Amino acid sequence: MMQDKLVIADHSFDSRLFTGTGKFNSAKTMLDSIKASGSQLVTMAVKRIDLQTGSDDILQPLVDANVKLLPNTSGARDAKEAVFVAQLAREMMQTNWVKLEIHPDPKYLMPDPVETLLAAKMLCEQGFVVLPYVHADPVLCRRLEEVGCAAVMPLAGPIGSNSGIQTTAFLEMIIEQANVPVVIDAGIGRPSQAALAMEMGADAVLVNTAIASSALPVEMARCFATATDCGRQAYLAGLGQVTKQAQHTSPLDIGLSQSVINQDSSLTGFLDDPAFRGR
Amino acid sequence: MSVSNESALIALHVNDSRHQVPQGTTLSELLAILAIDSDSVALVSNGQVIPKSQWQNIACEPNAHIELFGAVAGG
């Protein structure tokens, strides 16, 4: 296999499948799935501790698994809150990387582009490595790149929907224009969709719900790893041109003539029988 | 930690619950009192994120509003 590392900011990754840690039935299943996925970058969220129940320590097992942590700002409703959450995450997880996500609408969880751009600018100025989760908006992705984001994370579909890639035309524009890695996030529900995203030229995909909500998450994680790698290899190999007309792959003229066909009528003579043709 | 008398105690709000700790208790000591592992926690005192490196040197202020955050699973 050819050398094919993904570089974001100062970090290089062998795997182009990033994974989330949410929605798993248990911490063990989550850890086993992440290991099976081969993922080297995993997302985490931040939450106020319940002093009565304490907090699950899922950080240390992930650190022990040698994966890089990508804290998100989920729950932030505007730029100010997002910057605050990023600062909390930096203290907590000892990383200046942040998945910037601001989605105040609880129904569709659509990211707020205005607040996201504002927060991205502030966070980049504060030295964060910012990976913003955004709608598949080529203009916004370019603006985010201009303010210093290390990558962009346009959505394929609504978060957690497993609905597949619904933003194809716009993702293609983003991929074509981007000078930073493009990580397709949210909505990818099947391994074939991860492969498709990679075939389109995405630099990576982020998958959570599709793995966590599978009946067999560890096996599904492995499937996504294979599909992501397969899609990437196909992209590198170069996909064939798409045409509307058929383009024959076998010769259309193989030199048949009536004299050749009629040589042995015992084999094909029945085709000339009107009874056989229903006439 | 011994407490000599009632007047040496100060009140705090920690994640919306009220606590009393001896005056001079540092933020590190507060976490120990609350039995919270400081490795994976972020601390906000009166709206300011306090860097972990300073927890040992900063004493809890009387009636401070302290918020503790941890990492949880998420996508």
Side-chain angles (χ1 to χ4, degrees):
Chain A
M1 190 184 295
M2 63 189 88
Q3 185 82 0
D4 181 35
K5 288 185 184 294
L6 167 63
V7 178
I8 300 178
D10 57 350
H11 202 94
S12 78
F13 300 91
D14 295 312
S15 168
R16 289 169 182 270
L17 171 60
F18 300 157
T19 50
T21 55
K23 297 186 181 175
F24 287 91
N25 285 339
S26 70
K28 183 180 185 312
T29 303
M30 182 266 286
L31 283 166
D32 289 347
S33 299
I34 287 170
K35 285 175 188 168
S37 76
S39 178
Q40 296 169 318
L41 184 71
V42 299
T43 56
M44 302 280 301
V46 170
K47 192 173 182 188
R48 200 161 76 146
I49 293 172
D50 183 336
L51 293 178
Q52 304 304 316
T53 59
S55 63
D56 297 335
D57 185 16
I58 60 170
L59 267 187
Q60 195 54 47
L62 290 168
V63 171
D64 293 343
N66 205 27
V67 293
K68 187 166 179 58
L69 301 176
L70 180 62
N72 69 33
T73 62
S74 182
R77 291 161 295 185
D78 57 28
K80 192 177 172 189
E81 288 186 0
V83 170
F84 188 74
V85 175
Q87 290 169 342
L88 288 178
R90 181 169 58 184
E91 282 302 313
M92 188 186 304
M93 302 185 212
Q94 300 299 301
T95 177
N96 63 344
W97 284 46
V98 63
K99 177 186 172 186
L100 173 61
E101 51 179 305
I102 304 173
H103 37 72
D105 162 34
K107 184 174 182 185
Y108 295 111
L109 300 177
M110 286 292 114
D112 183 324
V114 177
E115 296 296 324
T116 300
L117 183 58
L118 275 173
K121 189 168 186 296
M122 283 191 267
L123 288 168
C124 288
E125 286 170 357
Q126 292 179 21
F128 283 89
V129 174
V130 183
L131 291 79
Y133 164 68
V134 288
H135 209 292
D137 180 338
V139 176
L140 177 61
C141 285
R142 184 164 264 188
R143 295 290 299 271
L144 287 163
E145 187 182 316
E146 286 169 1
V147 300
C149 290
V152 288
M153 303 181 73
L155 59 83
I159 289 174
S161 65
N162 286 342
S163 59
I165 303 178
Q166 301 180 34
T167 53
T168 304
F170 307 102
L171 290 174
E172 286 172 346
M173 290 180 209
I174 292 166
I175 290 166
E176 183 202 335
Q177 294 181 357
N179 297 303
V180 294
V182 177
V183 182
I184 297 184
D185 184 11
I188 292 178
R190 299 177 178 203
S192 57
Q193 294 159 357
L196 180 59
M198 298 308 295
E199 287 171 2
M200 287 165 58
D203 295 283
V205 290
L206 198 156
V207 180
N208 185 349
T209 300
I211 295 173
S213 64
S214 166
L216 298 171
V218 177
E219 283 69 14
M220 185 58 78
R222 206 168 285 124
C223 294
F224 267 99
T226 304
T228 304
D229 185 52
C230 188
R232 176 65 181 175
Q233 296 305 320
Y235 171 75
L236 292 176
L239 296 164
Q241 191 183 8
V242 177
T243 63
K244 286 189 176 175
Q245 273 191 290
Q247 309 285 330
H248 60 85
T249 51
S250 302
L252 294 181
D253 181 1
I254 60 172
L256 288 177
S257 65
Q258 284 303 305
S259 59
V260 173
I261 294 169
N262 290 335
Q263 269 184 354
D264 187 354
S265 61
S266 66
L267 291 175
T268 58
F270 69 94
L271 290 170
D272 298 325
D273 181 348
F276 175 76
R277 291 187 179 271
R279 290 186 293 227
Chain B
M1 186 174 295
S2 63
V3 180
S4 57
N5 56 57
E6 285 293 314
S7 65
L9 293 175
I10 60 167
L12 299 172
H13 304 266
V14 184
N15 288 16
D16 287 341
S17 63
R18 287 177 64 84
H19 294 263
Q20 285 194 317
V21 296
Q23 196 164 29
T25 298
T26 65
L27 296 173
S28 292
E29 289 165 346
L30 172 66
L31 290 177
I33 291 168
L34 296 171
I36 289 174
D37 180 6
S38 60
D39 284 346
S40 54
V41 168
L43 188 152
V44 179
S45 180
N46 292 333
Q48 295 281 355
V49 181
I50 309 295
K52 200 167 286 187
S53 58
Q54 297 177 18
W55 292 356
Q56 281 189 312
N57 306 321
I58 295 181
C60 299
E61 291 178 24
N63 292 312
H65 286 262
I66 291 172
E67 304 281 347
L68 298 170
F69 293 84
V72 294

